[in-house]
Amino acid sequence: MKSKFIEEKIYDFFNLHWLRPENVAWEVHAYKLISKYLTKNVEKIEVGIGNGITSFIYLGGRFKNSYDWYLNTNTRNFWRNEDIYNANKKIGISKFILKKPETKFSLVIDHKAKLLEQAKEMNISKNYKVMDANNYDLNNKTDLIFSNMLY
């Protein structure tokens, strides 16, 4: 990969993880490993998409500098171990998009509907499905299954 392109991704991930900069090294490394597969036009599924923001960048999307990942969080019950990202404040993520992704997933799944609503705003998949990944049936043809989390 060209160094200018990697520098751009480092910048994108630092902009995204300004509050947790220790995540940047992992995100850039993971991006380098998976991006060549995600940018191909093949049938691809993501299991556990979450809010889709990381995948948006992996697929080639970019946010304006004014976007802040933490705009769409809910910390009210953080101390009760609730997912702060499982919020949907309707901030209009699409208005922060600088560049749309180069390709899309065929299907993304997550067990949290609010997170999928956020992913839909970035238009990173043809289909979105709320379901438990522990019960996913792989009867259809898929060239690539991507997940950045494990059960």
Side-chain angles (χ1 to χ4, degrees):
M1 288 188 169
K2 295 181 181 174
S3 64
K4 184 177 184 218
F5 190 70
I6 290 300
E7 285 177 24
E8 181 180 280
K9 290 301 168 186
I10 291 170
Y11 179 83
D12 288 344
F13 285 117
F14 265 118
N15 190 47
L16 190 64
H17 294 287
W18 64 269
L19 190 59
R20 301 286 312 270
E22 70 275 12
N23 292 336
V24 174
W26 168 255
E27 293 292 8
V28 172
H29 180 69
Y31 171 78
K32 286 175 70 174
L33 293 173
I34 196 67
S35 63
K36 63 184 170 190
Y37 302 106
L38 292 181
T39 55
K40 293 181 179 179
N41 287 320
V42 297
E43 292 295 314
K44 51 189 167 284
I45 294 173
E46 181 165 0
V47 177
I49 186 79
N51 61 16
I53 292 171
T54 299
S55 296
F56 173 83
I57 293 175
Y58 284 4
L59 291 168
R62 298 193 72 200
F63 290 107
K64 295 176 184 176
N65 292 341
S66 57
Y67 178 69
D68 186 338
W69 171 309
Y70 301 99
L71 287 172
N72 200 17
T73 59
N74 181 358
T75 59
R76 184 175 305 143
N77 292 313
F78 173 74
W79 303 112
R80 293 185 187 149
N81 208 22
E82 286 192 20
D83 184 352
I84 68 169
Y85 302 105
N86 190 27
N88 199 351
K89 296 179 182 176
K90 305 285 185 197
I91 62 164
I93 294 172
S94 60
K95 69 183 174 192
F96 295 102
I97 293 176
L98 182 65
K99 179 184 173 196
K100 294 180 181 180
E102 298 161 3
T103 185
K104 293 182 182 185
F105 287 102
S106 306
L107 170 68
V108 295
I109 64 173
D110 200 276
H111 73 283
K112 295 179 179 177
K114 290 178 184 176
L115 292 177
L116 275 178
E117 287 300 317
Q118 292 177 54
K120 281 181 186 178
E121 285 190 63
M122 291 171 278
N123 196 23
I124 57 176
S125 184
K126 297 173 187 167
N127 299 294
Y128 302 82
K129 190 170 187 176
V130 177
M131 68 177 293
D132 182 346
N134 288 310
N135 300 318
Y136 184 68
D137 182 8
L138 293 174
N139 285 334
N140 58 339
K141 181 187 178 315
T142 302
D143 297 309
L144 175 71
I145 299 172
F146 172 67
S147 180
N148 66 2
M149 43 68 81
L150 294 173
Y151 284 88

